[in-house]
Amino acid sequence: MTRNFINAGLGIVARSSKTIIASVDDDGFPNLKAMLQPREHDGLKVFYFTTNTHSMRVQQYLKNPKASIYFYDTRFFKGVMLRGKMEVLQDQDTKDRIWRDGDNMYYSLGVTDPGYCVLKFTALNGRMYENFKSCDFKV
Amino acid sequence: MTRNFINAGLGIVARSSKTIIASVDDDGFPNLKAMLQPREHDGLKVFYFTTNTHSMRVQQYLKNPKASIYFYDTRFFKGVMLRGKMEVLQDQDTKDRIWRDGDNMYYSLGVTDPGYCVLKFTALNGRMYENFKSCDFKV
């Protein structure tokens, strides 16, 4: 059963044009933002995103790593939420691996730009939304 | 300046095909879900959505009304997050006003179906995302 959810979830990730990421701010409010699709992912367990070191989301995750990420397929009204922890990675090995040609457009100093960092999300569990019903699953 | 953000935000709401809503669960994790567009809204201040009384999101908002809602324009990569409180309305007057023809498809007992309720979101403030920059504004 879990395998079916994983396969369905991977299909939604592949068809989603954006990832929505959520954090919790200092006042206890959920915050959310659309991101470019992940640079790398390992199934539905681990996802890597590029982002700006000075962004509000990074500052929130450094204080409180509790996170969710969400993908959805507009055409079929299916969505998958993954709930877990977000780490902010600034080591050069990770930054080198995740960097792509063209990123200079956002980070003018290149792969060593201190404004460039990597978000690593690790899922604890998931929730699938389909046909106006929802179901939890293990990741 | 605030008026410019309100106008830009209303444009994003109009072009967005879905609303993403966020809550905080019992374990302190942010949760998020795509919803159909709001049935009614008053500028960027108040938004009304229909939902299922027994849904997980409703149960979370009854315990903790802290919420955010997010709209985005995929084509121009613009987004607007509104941060505020979510109320769960079950009074018949509100349910009558928000009900639309065709809702029987989701709530077979009609406008008095106990499974049908209304979410009312009231914004405290907003954050605009545009051209990979972001800015807070008052609502």
Side-chain angles (χ1 to χ4, degrees):
Chain A
M1 196 62 180
T2 293
R3 191 181 293 174
N4 290 348
F5 283 122
I6 300 289
N7 286 337
L10 287 170
I12 296 170
V13 171
R15 288 188 298 273
S16 187
S17 63
K18 295 284 179 297
T19 308
I20 312 289
I21 68 169
S23 55
V24 178
D25 69 23
D26 282 346
D27 301 318
F29 284 84
N31 279 221
L32 61 179
K33 186 182 178 183
M35 299 278 284
L36 297 170
Q37 282 289 78
R39 280 290 162 85
E40 281 186 7
H41 65 102
D42 176 9
L44 293 183
K45 191 67 188 171
V46 180
F47 293 80
Y48 293 90
F49 304 90
T50 62
T51 195
N52 194 300
T53 313
H54 309 295
S55 67
M56 195 168 77
R57 211 65 55 230
V58 165
Q59 303 315 310
Q60 290 176 353
Y61 287 131
L62 286 171
K63 287 185 189 173
N64 181 355
K66 289 180 179 176
S68 284
I69 69 175
Y70 188 81
F71 300 89
Y72 73 89
D73 181 340
T74 308
R75 194 170 157 207
F76 296 105
F77 206 68
K78 290 180 184 177
V80 61
M81 173 179 83
L82 300 167
R83 196 169 155 275
K85 298 281 176 91
M86 193 75 85
E87 293 169 76
V88 179
L89 304 182
Q90 296 186 273
D91 65 283
Q92 197 56 48
D93 282 353
T94 303
K95 289 174 66 165
D96 287 345
R97 199 185 80 233
I98 300 299
W99 184 265
R100 295 287 180 276
D101 286 344
D103 282 346
N104 286 71
M105 192 167 83
Y106 313 114
Y107 306 103
S108 58
L109 300 179
V111 69
T112 59
D113 193 323
Y116 159 58
C117 71
V118 173
L119 290 176
K120 178 186 180 184
F121 175 81
T122 305
L124 296 168
N125 50 36
R127 191 167 174 91
M128 182 73 66
Y129 300 93
E130 194 176 353
N131 300 323
F132 299 92
K133 289 182 181 162
S134 47
C135 198
D136 292 317
F137 63 96
K138 290 184 187 168
V139 176
Chain B
M1 197 61 180
T2 293
R3 189 181 295 174
N4 290 348
F5 283 122
I6 301 288
N7 286 338
L10 287 170
I12 297 169
V13 170
R15 288 187 297 275
S16 186
S17 62
K18 296 283 179 298
T19 308
I20 312 291
I21 68 169
S23 54
V24 178
D25 68 23
D26 283 346
D27 301 319
F29 284 85
N31 279 220
L32 62 177
K33 186 182 178 183
M35 300 278 283
L36 296 170
Q37 281 290 78
R39 279 290 162 86
E40 281 186 8
H41 65 103
D42 177 10
L44 293 184
K45 190 68 188 170
V46 180
F47 293 79
Y48 293 89
F49 303 91
T50 63
T51 195
N52 194 300
T53 314
H54 309 295
S55 67
M56 195 168 78
R57 210 66 54 229
V58 165
Q59 303 315 310
Q60 289 176 352
Y61 288 131
L62 286 171
K63 288 186 191 172
N64 180 355
K66 289 181 179 175
S68 285
I69 68 175
Y70 188 82
F71 300 89
Y72 72 90
D73 181 341
T74 308
R75 193 170 157 207
F76 296 106
F77 207 68
K78 291 181 184 176
V80 61
M81 173 179 81
L82 300 167
R83 196 168 154 276
K85 299 280 177 90
M86 193 75 87
E87 292 169 77
V88 179
L89 303 182
Q90 297 185 271
D91 65 284
Q92 198 56 47
D93 283 353
T94 303
K95 289 174 67 166
D96 287 346
R97 199 183 80 234
I98 300 299
W99 183 265
R100 295 287 180 276
D101 286 346
D103 283 347
N104 287 71
M105 192 166 86
Y106 312 114
Y107 307 104
S108 58
L109 301 179
V111 69
T112 59
D113 193 322
Y116 159 58
C117 71
V118 173
L119 290 177
K120 178 187 181 185
F121 175 80
T122 305
L124 296 169
N125 51 35
R127 192 168 173 89
M128 182 73 66
Y129 300 94
E130 195 175 353
N131 300 324
F132 298 92
K133 288 182 180 162
S134 47
C135 197
D136 291 316
F137 63 96
K138 290 184 185 169
V139 176

